[in-house]
Every structure is written in structure tokens, then in C-alpha cells.
């Protein structure tokens, strides 16, 4: 089975997810020690969609992340570019309107969703800013973005333990439960190479989103980033496929500890911060 490299060539990423599709949901539950259910509940709460609103669940895979939206009466559209994941999703969740599409060139009209969310998908997309710009384009002015993604544990001793788990324990566990263990080596490597909370917030803001804030889940193993499309902003897709940025005021996320409470704040301030870490770097500075 092809495993994707950290260059994240789209055909390699799609083929890798085609390969893990059948056992994806089970493997997820096992490797996250059941934590993924809590992370999904927090994501739904962060999106805060009302019944009848339209939500794009991008990189939805088999629809695990979309299902709770449907249960809440939200008109969710799961979208993914892995045909294997979409097929398994359609078999298991036939009522969901699965749509094939690439995050960097979405097959949706401008401003067609009240909110866009992406769970454990953004890290796999070849061009993060382009995907965030596309998400901005398809979201209505004033609409919301929620990104649920692996991040950086905030407490240093726990971070060390977690990194050991990722690099040492995860591959053998994956070998035991998955038919495609190499995909989980990619998982570990891609998590380590991903920006930390502030770094991702800066990238989101750079794509034109405003009021960017984040909260940590499970001590920062996962972070939820939330942002708003400026109400007076315009985002259109020019010929090169990237959305143009709407006007945006400064908004800075602050670390908020382990905000696992549904009522935890999403702090923002007006002082721009510098990203601690950019895409593609392999080490995270302390702080
Ligand atoms: C780890 S799965 C997450 C699935 C689901 N959101 C969940 O939470 O279980 C990541 C998904 O991202 C999809 N993906 C990666 N790059 C993509 C892209 N450029 N466009 C659309 N989907 C993409 C993969 O096909 C895969 O299904």
C-alpha cells in the first residue's frame, strides 16, 4: 500500500486513505483510546450550527465526523477526495450526501455554507493556505470555521510521553489493528511536522479569517481552532484557484490551557503574535 510522504502529493494521500478506508473508524477508536468521541462532541459544539443550517464537513472521510451533525438536524455535506473513504461512508451512512471534492478546489459555489469544519483533514492537505482560502470562499459572510486537528500538548512532561507514544507505540499498535500500518507511520510523522496552536492560528488568519481563537482538548493533543468569515469581506476564486483575502482586522489566539469544558473561552486579542512554527518544520520551539 502506498503511504504518503510529508510532501503530501494528493494522489498519494488519496491512495493511502483508500487503503485504510474499511478499518478507518475502528482503528481511529483504538489508537485514540476512545478520545476521538470527545473530540467530535467538542467540534460539534464549537460549530454551533442550528437545525436546518448548511455545514460543509471537509475531508469527511467515511462520514464519522459528519454523522453527529445530521443527528442534530443540520444539513451537513461530507466532502472528501478519497473515493475509497467515500464508498465506505456511503455504505455505512447512506443518508449522508457524500460529495467528491478536493479541499484546494472545492466544487461548491461562493458563500454556500453557514459553516465549514474539517476534522483531522487539514494536516493532510497539500496546500494548507489554499484550502483555508477555499473554505473562506464557500462560507457565507459572518459564517464560521472550525478546524479540529492534532496539535502540541501544553505540559512538557506529558508532551515527551506523548511523543514517545506517537513514534514508538503507535506503529506497533497500528500493525496489530490495521491492515495498512505504514499509514500510521505517516500519521505520527505528519503530527510531528504540523504547526502548533499559535502557528496554525496565524496560518488561518493569513488566509483571511478573522476572530481566530483556539482551545485545547486532551491537554493539547488536539486543538480546536475557530474563526469567522468577516461580515464585510469578499472572497472569490481567481484563475489560480486561491481565494482572495477579504479585509480583516487583527485577531490573536492565546493559549488557554486545557479548555475541555464546553464553556471554555475562545480568547482573541488585538496584538498580532508571531507563529511559533510553520508548516514543514520538524521541531517545535519551547514556550
Ligand atoms: C484522517 S481522515 C479524517 C476523516 C474524518 N474527518 C474524521 O474525522 O474521521 C482525513 C481525510 O482527509 C482527506 N483529504 C486529505 N486531503 C484532501 C484534500 N485535498 N481534499 C479532500 N479531502 C482530503 C482524506 O482523503 C481523508 O479521508
Amino acid at each position: 500500500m502506498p503511504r504518503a510522504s510529508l510532501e503530501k502529493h494528493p494522489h498519494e494521500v488519496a491512495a493511502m486513505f483508500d487503503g485504510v478506508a474499511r478499518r478507518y473508524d475502528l482503528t481511529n477508536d483504538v489508537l485514540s483510546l476512545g478520545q476521538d468521541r470527545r473530540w467530535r462532541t467538542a467540534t460539534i459544539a464549537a460549530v454551533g450550527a442550528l437545525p436546518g443550517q448548511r455545514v460543509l464537513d471537509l475531508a469527511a472521510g467515511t462520514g464519522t465526523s459528519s454523522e453527529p451533525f445530521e443527528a442534530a438536524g443540520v444539513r451537513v455535506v461530507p466532502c472528501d477526495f478519497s473515493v475509497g473513504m467515500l464508498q465506505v461512508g456511503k455504505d455505512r451512512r447512506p443518508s449522508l450526501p457524500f460529495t467528491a471534492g478536493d479541499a484546494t478546489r472545492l466544487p461548491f459555489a461562493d458563500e454556500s455554507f453557514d459553516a465549514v469544519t474539517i476534522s483531522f483533514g487539514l494536516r493532510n492537505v497539500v496546500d494548507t493556505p489554499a484550502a483555508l482560502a477555499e473554505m473562506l470562499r464557500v462560507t457565507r459572510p459572518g459564517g464560521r470555521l472550525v478546524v479540529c486537528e492534532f496539535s502540541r500538548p501544553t505540559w512538557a512532561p506529558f508532551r515527551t510521553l506523548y511523543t514517545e507514544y506517537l513514534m514508538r507505540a503507535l506503529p506497533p499498535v497500528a500493525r496489530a489493528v490495521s491492515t495498512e500500518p505504514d499509514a500510521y507511520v505517516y500519521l505520527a510523522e505528519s503530527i510531528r511536522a504540523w504547526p502548533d496552536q499559535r502557528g496554525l492560528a496565524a496560518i488561518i488568519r493569513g488566509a483571511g479569517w478573522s476572530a481566530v481563537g483556539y482551545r485545547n482538548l486532551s491537554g493539547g493533543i488536539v486543538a480546536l481552532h475557530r474563526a469567522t468569515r468577516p461580515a464585510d469581506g469578499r472572497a472569490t476564486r481567481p484563475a489560480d484557484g486561491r481565494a482572495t483575502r477579504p479585509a480583516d482586522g487583527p485577531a490573536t489566539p492565546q493559549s488557554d490551557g486545557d479548555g475541555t469544558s464546553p464553556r471554555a473561552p475562545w480568547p482573541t486579542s488585538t496584538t498580532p503574535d508571531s507563529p511559533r512554527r510553520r508548516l514543514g518544520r520538524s521541531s517545535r520551539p519551547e514556550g
Side-chain angles (χ1 to χ4, degrees):
M1 196 277 301
R3 57 149 283 203
S5 69
L6 289 185
E7 286 167 17
K8 302 173 186 178
H9 297 299
H11 62 279
E12 287 179 5
V13 173
M16 182 181 71
F17 281 102
D18 288 348
V20 300
R22 288 259 152 232
R23 299 193 63 152
Y24 173 80
D25 291 348
L26 169 72
T27 312
N28 239 1
D29 261 359
V30 173
L31 294 184
S32 74
L33 311 174
Q35 292 292 299
D36 57 324
R37 288 156 198 261
R38 290 179 56 221
W39 301 335
R40 294 190 192 292
T41 305
T43 304
I44 307 294
V47 173
L50 301 172
Q53 285 192 322
R54 268 174 69 82
V55 172
L56 171 62
D57 182 20
L58 188 54
T62 59
T64 326
S65 46
S66 316
E67 203 168 36
F69 285 101
E70 186 187 44
V74 171
R75 291 159 62 206
V76 64
V77 177
C79 176
D80 202 283
F81 76 171
S82 156
V83 173
M85 293 290 264
L86 290 170
Q87 276 168 348
V88 171
K90 200 65 198 166
D91 288 350
R92 290 192 190 149
R93 304 172 175 104
S95 59
L96 284 171
F98 285 94
T99 304
D102 187 326
T104 60
R105 197 159 185 89
L106 290 172
F108 304 108
D110 295 356
E111 304 178 12
S112 44
F113 294 95
D114 295 293
V116 177
T117 182
I118 180 165
S119 292
F120 308 109
L122 194 57
R123 179 178 32 86
N124 301 300
V125 175
V126 64
D127 186 341
T128 310
L132 287 164
E134 270 295 84
M135 292 184 235
L136 185 77
R137 181 184 66 77
V138 302
T139 303
R140 69 164 167 78
R144 183 168 282 181
L145 167 74
V146 174
V147 178
C148 173
E149 190 51 86
F150 290 110
S151 199
R152 185 189 196 217
T154 49
W155 191 48
F158 176 57
R159 190 159 64 236
T160 307
L161 263 179
Y162 171 69
T163 308
E164 287 290 304
Y165 166 73
L166 270 186
M167 300 316 287
R168 291 178 200 269
L170 189 140
V173 175
R175 235 168 265 131
V177 291
S178 170
T179 47
E180 311 288 0
D182 282 354
Y184 293 89
V185 175
Y186 162 83
L187 172 70
E189 289 176 357
S190 65
I191 292 172
R192 277 169 59 101
W194 186 242
D196 67 8
Q197 289 84 337
R198 284 171 185 249
L200 180 57
I203 294 169
I204 293 172
R205 195 170 51 243
W209 293 90
S210 66
V212 182
Y214 66 80
R215 53 182 288 230
N216 293 312
L217 303 176
S218 303
I221 288 179
V222 165
L224 285 185
H225 283 73
R226 196 168 72 169
T228 303
R229 177 169 167 180
D232 57 352
R234 275 179 48 75
T236 54
R237 182 165 59 194
D240 70 358
R242 290 189 182 227
T244 54
R245 289 185 53 186
D248 186 18
T252 304
Q254 303 289 322
S255 177
D256 60 357
D258 186 354
T260 50
S261 154
R263 281 181 291 282
W266 297 81
T268 59
S269 82
T270 52
T271 312
D273 63 344
S274 58
R276 300 257 174 117
R277 189 153 177 270
R278 294 283 185 187
L279 274 175
R281 297 214 185 133
S282 59
S283 65
R284 296 171 191 265
E286 295 296 316

